[in-house]
Amino acid sequence: MINIVEDLEFVPNRDILVTMDITSLYSNIPIDEAIRATDQFIDKHNIDCPKSFVIDCLYIVLTENIIEFGDSIYRQLRGVSMGASVAPSIANIYMSAFEDRFIDNEVAPFFESISHWSRYIDDIFFIWTNGNDSLLEFLEWINLTDENLHFTAQHSTSQVEFLDLLIRENNNKLEVDLYVKSTARNTLLHFSSFHPKSQRESIPFSQFLRVRRNCTNLADYDKQASIIRKKFLERGYPHRLIRSSYKRARFFDRDALLTPKEQTVKDQLVCVTTHSTLNERIRQIINASWHLLNCNPTSSEKLPKPLFAFKRNKNLKDKIVHSRFNTNISNNGPIQRSLLNNLPVRGTVKCSSCKSCNNIIGGEEFTHNGYTTKANDLWNCNTTNVIYFIRCVCGLGYVGETCRSIQVRITEHRSAIRTHKVAAPLVKHFLEENHKPEDFQWRILEKIRTPDSKGGCAIRKKREVFWIFVLNTYRIGLNCDIPWENAIM
């Protein structure tokens, strides 16, 4: 944009600088028209793609935008979701179709009055050549062209703000300066923040380079740089680092900053770790030992030392800030409610990814042989270290325990019935009664919180005895007896 602006000619007493903004563009784009514009865009530019598939996928993405607010579920009926990754592309395609029809079209009523037109999604800059009165007519007319779009504008014969640029006239040419909103706050990363040292020390130079790029004149650079120097001092950056970064950027070739660079992909190994205080030590160990890999006689070429990259660790915000409040808390942490409002907050629920889900006994309360129990947590097929209950199709029950996931244990029961491995009363009953492996339901009765390494196995077996006794599955059920020896372990 800087290259474009600085190459434009400006005629004083004729040309007017204008910037426009589209109010709430994303949420005002009509879905059907956006899809139609995309269809035409693919044809116009001869894009090689399965067009019907792309359009079908786009329709799903734009029409099935589900929003949860409180305890209610909503589907967005109008506009494009602002958080959707496809939103900027759809906005650009929709606005491109608008411009082809009303701006960059020789039959458009104000075509001859616009000498230059640039747009970045919903921000527009153009030069008007036909006087102030005609410009006001244009602004009134453009708000009548599309009922979905509302334009707001600012214009001046001397200077206007566009994105982070201040565009102004100087000797029949346009030049730029850095523009910062009056409401902007000092959000620079604090120097004491737990980030890699190389990243923190590179920030001042990159920011001064940005100022150098956005300022046509060195005088403007010095003025803006002095403001940024104060901001860096407020954020704890050393004077030496600020001073050296300022000087390096000031004498940097601005033409080089405004020349697009070719992206090169280095065929080099990258060592990625989570940032910690041990990063530098790890780097030193790997670099010091790297020559050992190059001693491999089977390798025909030397391996260059790897690049090092770091993933951000969880910060305080990640740990305490959530997109919504969780009113139901389990011993395992917050329970995320489903999109379905009737999802129970306690009991055994489906994981929806295994066959065992089809035979779960749902609900918070459960009654067997006259005893009613109420779940105190939320579990699914992946829950481990549990006491479980199986109910045969004929009504008889069985209580068991497992340290593994309940899904694995249920699968083992079904496999034993299917392969006629008579190793337990449950399997014997199913074979004698000619039941199928799918003819039983199950649910979790209790989860043991203590791990086996700290005595959890003994506690689990004691609780199994308790449940066999209270549900009476040894007299009226499929447990052959009560293992009382487990109760006194």
Side-chain angles (χ1 to χ4, degrees):
M1 184 61 190
I2 294 174
N3 286 329
I4 293 173
V5 168
E6 291 184 340
D7 286 340
L8 293 175
E9 290 189 3
F10 185 84
V11 179
N13 302 322
R14 187 200 71 175
D15 293 348
I16 301 175
L17 303 174
V18 188
T19 58
M20 289 199 305
D21 179 75
I22 307 172
T23 305
S24 303
L25 173 59
Y26 290 166
S27 55
N28 282 301
I29 296 176
I31 293 175
D32 291 338
E33 294 185 28
I35 293 175
R36 190 180 307 111
T38 304
D39 190 314
Q40 296 172 355
F41 183 86
I42 293 174
D43 292 336
K44 177 181 177 181
H45 296 275
N46 297 318
I47 298 175
D48 184 15
C49 69
K51 187 177 76 169
S52 59
F53 174 73
V54 171
I55 296 300
D56 288 344
C57 291
L58 183 61
Y59 181 82
I60 294 173
V61 170
L62 296 181
T63 59
E64 299 300 329
N65 181 36
I66 306 301
I67 305 166
E68 181 179 4
F69 185 79
D71 292 329
S72 300
I73 305 298
Y74 301 90
R75 181 164 65 91
Q76 184 171 336
L77 299 178
R78 176 181 172 82
V80 179
S81 172
M82 294 184 66
S85 58
V86 75
S89 298
I90 292 298
N92 277 325
I93 290 174
Y94 183 79
M95 286 305 302
S96 178
F98 173 86
E99 290 166 339
D100 288 342
R101 184 180 177 186
F102 296 107
I103 304 299
D104 192 19
N105 189 333
E106 293 183 356
V107 298
F110 296 94
F111 175 78
E112 298 292 340
S113 300
I114 300 174
S115 66
H116 174 78
W117 179 281
S118 293
R119 177 180 54 82
Y120 181 76
I121 306 181
D122 59 347
D123 291 294
I124 301 168
F125 165 78
F126 65 95
I127 297 178
W128 187 262
T129 63
N130 198 20
N132 191 69
D133 293 339
S134 179
L135 173 61
L136 296 179
E137 292 179 11
F138 168 78
L139 296 178
E140 183 178 356
W141 168 81
I142 198 172
N143 275 304
L144 299 175
T145 55
D146 189 328
E147 62 178 3
N148 304 296
L149 302 179
H150 177 68
F151 297 85
T152 60
Q154 293 182 340
H155 57 90
S156 171
T157 57
S158 57
Q159 65 180 33
V160 291
E161 300 91 15
F162 179 72
L163 303 179
D164 63 342
L165 298 176
L166 179 67
I167 304 174
R168 66 190 176 205
E169 181 269 338
N170 185 18
N171 294 328
N172 300 342
K173 299 288 289 184
L174 294 179
E175 61 182 25
V176 295
D177 190 4
L178 180 68
Y179 172 68
V180 180
K181 292 183 178 180
S182 58
T183 56
R185 298 181 296 115
N186 189 356
T187 58
L188 292 169
L189 181 72
H190 201 282
F191 193 73
S192 63
S193 181
F194 186 61
H195 284 70
K197 183 180 179 181
S198 59
Q199 178 182 352
R200 288 180 283 128
E201 291 186 344
S202 66
I203 290 177
F205 180 58
S206 65
Q207 288 299 308
F208 283 122
L209 276 185
R210 171 174 172 263
V211 176
R212 183 70 186 95
R213 183 197 65 205
N214 283 22
C215 293
T216 303
N217 301 320
L218 276 175
D220 292 330
Y221 168 77
D222 291 334
K223 182 182 68 174
Q224 297 291 348
S226 64
I227 298 174
I228 292 185
R229 292 176 70 174
K230 294 179 182 178
K231 291 183 178 180
F232 277 118
L233 289 174
E234 292 174 357
R235 303 300 284 173
Y237 285 77
H239 286 269
R240 174 193 54 79
L241 178 61
I242 299 174
R243 184 169 56 254
S244 63
S245 300
Y246 160 76
K247 289 183 178 179
R248 285 176 61 197
R250 191 180 192 281
F251 296 103
F252 207 92
D253 185 5
R254 185 168 181 266
D255 291 336
L257 292 176
L258 296 174
T259 302
K261 297 180 181 179
E262 293 185 3
Q263 297 293 330
T264 58
V265 179
K266 293 184 178 180
D267 186 15
Q268 189 172 357
L269 182 67
V270 180
C271 178
V272 182
T273 62
T274 302
H275 179 55
S276 73
T277 55
L278 299 176
N279 283 344
E280 188 58 32
R281 181 59 181 154
I282 293 173
R283 187 207 303 262
Q284 293 173 358
I285 293 173
I286 292 177
N287 286 337
S289 308
W290 195 254
H291 67 281
L292 298 176
L293 290 178
N294 290 323
C295 294
N296 186 354
T298 62
S299 178
S300 59
E301 57 179 292
K302 300 293 185 180
L303 296 174
K305 290 183 179 180
L307 298 174
F308 291 86
F310 307 106
K311 295 184 295 183
R312 182 175 68 84
N313 220 324
K314 282 190 175 181
N315 57 25
L316 189 61
K317 177 182 177 182
D318 295 329
K319 295 179 179 180
I320 65 175
V321 177
H322 301 280
S323 60
R324 59 180 174 179
F325 293 106
N326 297 294
T327 56
N328 303 292
I329 305 297
S330 71
N331 293 331
N332 293 328
I335 298 173
Q336 299 293 335
R337 293 184 65 88
S338 165
L339 291 179
L340 301 177
N341 289 332
N342 60 352
L343 175 67
V345 296
R346 294 182 178 88
T348 308
V349 298
K350 296 181 179 182
C351 73
S352 301
S353 61
C354 70
K355 295 181 179 179
S356 301
C357 284
N358 298 328
N359 298 87
I360 289 177
I361 303 174
E364 186 174 342
E365 290 188 349
F366 166 70
T367 301
H368 184 74
N369 285 345
Y371 182 86
T372 299
T373 177
K374 191 173 183 179
N376 62 357
D377 209 337
L378 186 66
W379 310 294
N380 63 22
C381 306
N382 298 313
T383 306
T384 59
N385 209 21
V386 298
I387 294 91
Y388 62 90
F389 174 81
I390 291 178
R391 182 169 61 196
C392 175
V393 69
C394 60
L396 297 179
Y398 172 84
V399 173
E401 56 86 18
T402 181
C403 64
R404 298 169 295 167
S405 72
I406 184 64
Q407 174 190 347
V408 173
R409 189 67 182 119
I410 294 299
T411 302
E412 288 178 345
H413 281 305
R414 288 209 173 105
S415 177
I417 296 170
R418 190 177 296 108
T419 57
H420 295 190
K421 292 182 179 180
V422 185
L426 175 67
V427 179
K428 182 179 179 181
H429 169 77
F430 269 69
L431 296 180
E432 289 177 349
E433 298 297 328
N434 198 25
H435 293 327
K436 297 178 181 179
E438 296 78 17
D439 286 345
F440 70 76
Q441 295 178 297
W442 63 273
R443 72 175 282 136
I444 294 175
L445 297 172
E446 182 181 358
K447 175 177 173 61
I448 305 303
R449 304 292 174 189
T450 307
D452 283 7
S453 60
K454 296 183 179 181
C457 179
I459 296 174
R460 192 174 61 248
K461 292 184 180 298
K462 287 181 182 180
R463 296 302 296 173
E464 180 191 25
V465 172
F466 167 80
W467 285 107
I468 292 174
F469 180 77
V470 298
L471 295 180
N472 200 12
T473 59
Y474 69 100
R475 290 179 180 172
I476 311 174
L478 302 177
N479 290 97
C480 57
D481 57 7
I482 298 181
W484 293 109
E485 66 276 8
N486 292 338
I488 58 175
M489 289 175 63

